[in-house]
Amino acid sequence: MEAGPRDTAHDGERHTAPDGARLSPDGPDSQQTTAGGVTDDGPSEAELATGPEVEVELRPQRRLRIWQLAPIVVLAAVGSLMFAFPLAFEFGDGGAVVAMLGLLISSCAAGWGMMAARRVGHTWPGLPERGSGRRPDWRVVSAYTLAVTAVAVLAVWRVARLR
């Protein structure tokens, strides 16, 4: 048995079009078309006119995955603990070495995280996007450099005070 439209007319009556023409069970026998191949019951030419074209990105947005983030977070946590415990509890002569090693591991994790974020397209606030062709503002770059230098100097100063 084939599925198709049902003829719901009772007692042999046939469907008729508004102009009195007889209809077949599946619609009008002939298509009445106007200029452009649009049927009378379809959209008008004005409705078919399109505005400016809009480009839509079909690729999924690139994100950092859990397998990329997990080692970075673990290294950062281990490095931070190695740096913090000798500073907080002053473990004798070896504390300075452990603290500097922790600082080094934390810095490596931070650098690794920044490189991974850069690969997926993230940028620091105030810096242009990768491949945009714009140059970074020297004031933003100098502010970031000053902040990193201040943190490094304070960390080295604190570790040096352990001795």
Side-chain angles (χ1 to χ4, degrees), residues 23-133:
L23 298 176
S24 65
D26 59 348
D29 289 331
S30 64
Q31 293 287 343
Q32 298 171 348
T33 58
T34 60
V38 180
T39 61
D40 287 336
D41 61 343
S44 66
E45 292 289 332
E47 292 172 349
L48 288 176
T50 59
E53 291 186 19
V54 177
E55 289 187 29
V56 178
E57 184 66 38
L58 297 178
R59 292 180 292 173
Q61 184 178 5
R62 293 171 55 175
R63 291 187 214 129
L64 287 173
R65 306 280 185 232
I66 189 69
W67 60 268
Q68 291 170 314
L69 287 175
I72 297 169
V73 170
V74 168
L75 274 180
V78 167
S80 297
L81 290 175
M82 287 177 68
F83 181 64
F85 272 96
L87 297 179
F89 302 115
E90 298 193 24
F91 291 141
D93 291 340
V97 174
V98 173
M100 287 303 284
L101 183 60
L103 181 63
L104 178 67
I105 291 174
S106 296
S107 300
C108 289
W112 190 6
M114 287 189 299
M115 291 305 293
R118 182 114 169 122
R119 282 194 87 169
V120 297
H122 297 299
T123 61
W124 284 80
L127 296 178
E129 293 181 12
R130 187 177 189 180
S132 68

